[in-house]
Amino acid sequence: MSTIEFFFFSALTSLNYKLNFSDVAFSLLCLFVFSSILQKLTSRGPMLWPVFGIFPSLIMHCTSLHEWITKSLIDNGGTIPFRGLTIGGIRGFVTADPIKIEYMLKSKFNNFPKGKYYRERFSELLGQGIFNADDQSWKHQRQAAATVMHSVRFVEYSTQSIQDLLNNKLLKVLENLVDSKVCIDLQELLLRFTFDNICVAAFGVDPGCMSIGLPHVPFAKAFEEATESTLCRFMMPPFVWKGLKFFNLGCEKRLKAAAKIVHDFAEKTVQERKKELAQHENINLDEKSDLLSRLINLEKGGRNGYFSDKLLEDFCISFILAGRDTSSVGLAWFFWLVSLNPQVEKNILQEIHDIISLRGKNMEKEVKNSNIVFTTEELHKMVYLQAALSESLRLYPPVPFDFKEVLEDDVFPDGISVKSGEKVLYSIFSMARMEWVWGSDCREFKPERWIKEGAFVSENPFKFAVFNGGPRLCVGKKFAYMQMKMVTASVLSRF
């Protein structure tokens, strides 16, 4: 043994003799505290703790998470860094800056995909469906969706299906509940309505959530369970939820069971529909106008040649996910805001009255008997109602934030650098509360901000990112507005 080796060994032996567990623990605690203080002094935004990242701060503010994030963004110019648990390796930025959002959703669209992080968490429920796809897969599905949803037949079919479900079920249920003078969970009722409606539009099948007695529907319950269990994955480090998946435990066990029910239903529906259309091959195939049937017709016509049976299932499940929660949550917030703003309600009712008064002599009889069924043309004329709905969506977006994954190293227009693999979250909720984006009255429920010279004026989609923007702009935006206007006009004019 050399002199240096002997000295080193002697030093380690001496150190090991003098130190005990409490000394090591105290040293680590001091290091933790020092690192925390240093981070707080040198970085902007919420506290990013050593090892634990932003996780402890999220737990401390879990009851007012969106407001806390909003305040942090306001205090730091609209963009803050974040870091997850060290073992998870997630890091990036949170922003409410429309310029950055436009850069991601439009200017550098190809460099900010949904990414692997998002796709693997939704894989059991959405598979390769449009809302879980990137690149060529997304482009093919997007093109098919636009072709179908913008067709005259689908628009007429979806409009009629909303009218039927609204007038024959939702309004009748509400009338019975009013007569019985009981309290109701309006959001739950609206969730049932939008689920039935979107299933009719997507699959051409009514699951019956709005039937008399509001029955338990296994497919609807499984879909809700699968959605909630999927979202749990976003709140856990990968090693936790992947471990639960491997051992088939907890929320992963529930997700597996629920996703099987959802996909079994979708598979059965696709097979039955293809068989039905094949049996009527000599009959006009355009008689079926739901999304699934129209996509199958595209395939038979050789105009697409892309959809396998599995992809048809995934596509329609994605469509249901997009239309179920978003519309019901948006409607629930709208009715809550209107209940707090009686002048807005008065303005909406006056607009509805002015429009139906153009019908002439039969108008009073229809109003008295509550038999009003609004036409598409009448809904288009409801400018103030659309403004009120847009204002509600602005303040309380059904999807309060979204995120993108950075494909290659990039630099935002303001000079902030992002690295490959980082995540950029954008808070739609927070953006609505930024004075430098929406003005000093940004927190007010003010439908008038959407109207100029008596006409509805759309906002920059990257400032009002409720329906996404750029190439991924929601193809169902018109469908959603029509559905919400028909429901709100019918409910407010009666109750």
Side-chain angles (χ1 to χ4, degrees):
M1 181 182 291
S2 67
T3 304
I4 295 176
E5 289 173 331
F6 176 78
F7 176 78
F8 182 70
F9 179 77
S10 299
L12 283 177
T13 303
S14 177
L15 184 63
N16 183 59
Y17 176 77
K18 292 180 180 179
L19 286 179
N20 54 41
F21 177 78
S22 61
D23 295 324
V24 174
F26 180 74
S27 299
L28 291 174
L29 177 62
C30 290
L31 179 62
F32 182 86
V33 172
F34 175 75
S35 299
S36 300
I37 294 173
L38 182 64
Q39 190 280 330
K40 189 62 178 176
L41 292 174
T42 58
S43 300
R44 55 194 177 88
M47 184 69 185
L48 301 180
W49 301 87
V51 181
F52 301 105
I54 200 173
F55 194 65
S57 299
L58 293 177
I59 293 176
M60 287 187 287
H61 297 91
C62 63
T63 58
S64 58
L65 187 61
H66 295 298
E67 288 289 354
W68 170 68
I69 291 174
T70 298
K71 186 178 184 307
S72 297
L73 289 167
I74 290 173
D75 293 344
N76 294 278
T79 302
I80 54 177
F82 80 92
R83 185 181 71 248
L85 295 172
T86 299
I87 195 170
I90 301 171
R91 60 190 306 131
F93 292 90
V94 182
T95 187
D97 182 357
I99 295 176
K100 290 189 183 68
I101 295 173
E102 181 174 6
Y103 189 77
M104 290 187 294
L105 302 187
K106 181 182 177 183
S107 304
K108 294 295 288 290
F109 171 75
N110 291 329
N111 198 40
F112 293 91
K114 284 186 176 287
K116 180 183 176 182
Y117 182 89
Y118 186 99
R119 289 197 305 273
E120 69 177 358
R121 280 154 181 76
F122 269 106
S123 59
E124 269 74 13
L125 179 58
L126 300 184
Q128 297 299 315
I130 185 171
F131 297 111
N132 205 35
D134 283 316
D135 304 322
Q136 290 301 316
S137 177
W138 168 78
K139 288 181 180 179
H140 282 297
Q141 294 183 64
R142 169 80 183 194
Q143 183 180 15
T147 300
V148 172
M149 295 190 69
H150 295 160
S151 68
V152 174
R153 285 190 175 276
F154 181 81
V155 171
E156 291 176 348
Y157 169 79
S158 58
T159 302
Q160 187 62 51
S161 67
I162 295 172
Q163 287 179 339
D164 292 344
L165 191 60
L166 173 65
N167 291 284
N168 297 330
K169 293 192 176 182
L170 178 61
L171 294 176
K172 292 186 182 302
V173 169
L174 285 172
E175 287 169 2
N176 291 334
L177 289 170
V178 169
D179 292 339
S180 61
K181 294 181 170 55
V182 296
C183 291
I184 61 167
D185 184 338
L186 184 60
Q187 184 172 330
E188 169 65 22
L189 191 62
L190 291 168
L191 189 63
R192 285 174 171 268
F193 170 79
T194 55
F195 187 76
D196 277 2
N197 184 216
I198 206 68
C199 283
V200 170
F203 285 123
V205 175
D206 183 355
C209 293
M210 288 298 297
S211 299
I212 295 174
L214 302 178
H216 168 78
V217 178
F219 175 59
K221 183 62 179 176
F223 200 96
E224 184 172 359
E225 182 71 54
T227 304
E228 291 178 355
S229 298
T230 294
L231 294 178
C232 288
R233 291 180 168 183
F234 287 90
M235 296 181 279
M236 300 178 184
F239 73 91
V240 174
W241 70 261
K242 288 184 178 181
L244 292 174
K245 179 181 178 181
F246 181 81
F247 291 105
N248 196 31
L249 298 171
C251 59
E252 287 298 314
K253 181 178 180 179
R254 294 193 296 273
L255 172 59
K256 182 179 180 180
K260 185 178 187 307
I261 294 174
V262 171
H263 281 278
D264 284 350
F265 175 87
E267 181 182 8
K268 179 182 177 183
T269 304
V270 169
Q271 294 304 319
E272 289 180 351
R273 186 61 45 77
K274 294 189 83 169
K275 183 178 179 181
E276 179 185 354
L277 292 175
Q279 290 174 345
H280 297 81
E281 193 168 359
N282 296 325
I283 301 175
N284 184 5
L285 295 177
D286 286 340
E287 289 179 3
K288 290 283 188 179
S289 299
D290 57 273
L291 182 68
L292 174 60
S293 297
R294 302 298 293 175
L295 287 174
I296 293 174
N297 288 342
L298 281 178
E299 296 293 304
K300 285 193 173 186
R303 287 169 281 177
N304 195 291
Y306 177 74
F307 284 91
S308 64
D309 288 359
K310 181 63 171 66
L311 191 53
L312 283 171
E313 298 166 21
D314 293 344
F315 184 95
C316 290
I317 291 171
S318 292
F319 189 75
I320 292 172
L321 179 67
R324 171 184 176 265
D325 287 8
T326 51
S327 293
S328 61
V329 170
L331 286 168
W333 279 116
F334 171 83
F335 284 119
W336 179 74
L337 283 167
V338 167
S339 73
L340 299 178
N341 295 270
Q343 185 57 49
V344 171
E345 181 180 11
K346 183 178 178 181
N347 293 344
I348 293 172
L349 291 174
Q350 184 61 53
E351 181 179 63
I352 292 173
H353 180 273
D354 292 343
I355 288 171
I356 61 176
S357 66
L358 299 175
R359 295 183 178 186
K361 296 179 180 179
N362 293 327
M363 181 270 295
E364 291 185 9
K365 184 178 179 181
E366 288 179 341
V367 173
K368 185 177 180 180
N369 296 330
S370 297
N371 291 327
I372 309 167
V373 177
F374 297 103
T375 66
T376 304
E377 292 73 20
E378 288 173 333
L379 293 174
H380 284 318
K381 294 176 183 177
M382 295 180 187
V383 172
Y384 190 85
L385 177 57
Q386 181 159 349
L389 284 165
S390 298
E391 183 69 349
S392 174
L393 291 171
R394 182 186 73 86
L395 285 170
Y396 295 99
V399 181
F401 68 89
D402 203 346
F403 72 91
K404 299 293 181 181
E405 188 171 304
V406 184
L407 196 60
E408 298 179 356
D409 293 0
D410 211 329
V411 180
F412 282 113
D414 63 354
I416 291 180
S417 299
V418 286
K419 302 295 182 183
S420 175
E422 289 186 338
K423 314 295 183 291
V424 183
L425 285 77
Y426 55 99
S427 175
I428 305 168
F429 177 93
S430 299
M431 188 160 51
R433 288 152 180 78
M434 299 287 165
E435 291 190 7
W436 56 279
V437 177
W438 287 97
S440 58
D441 60 353
C442 58
R443 289 179 178 266
E444 296 178 24
F445 180 54
K446 188 178 177 182
E448 289 75 14
R449 77 174 78 245
W450 296 85
I451 300 173
K452 291 182 181 178
E453 298 180 358
F456 179 84
V457 179
S458 298
E459 268 293 355
N460 181 335
F462 310 107
K463 175 181 172 181
F464 179 64
V466 173
F467 293 97
N468 219 312
R472 278 192 182 264
L473 180 68
C474 178
V475 292
K477 181 178 178 180
K478 289 184 178 180
F479 174 88
Y481 266 117
M482 179 186 64
Q483 180 192 59
M484 290 189 292
K485 290 174 81 170
M486 195 176 291
V487 171
T488 53
S490 298
V491 171
L492 290 177
S493 63
R494 286 170 170 80
F495 306 103

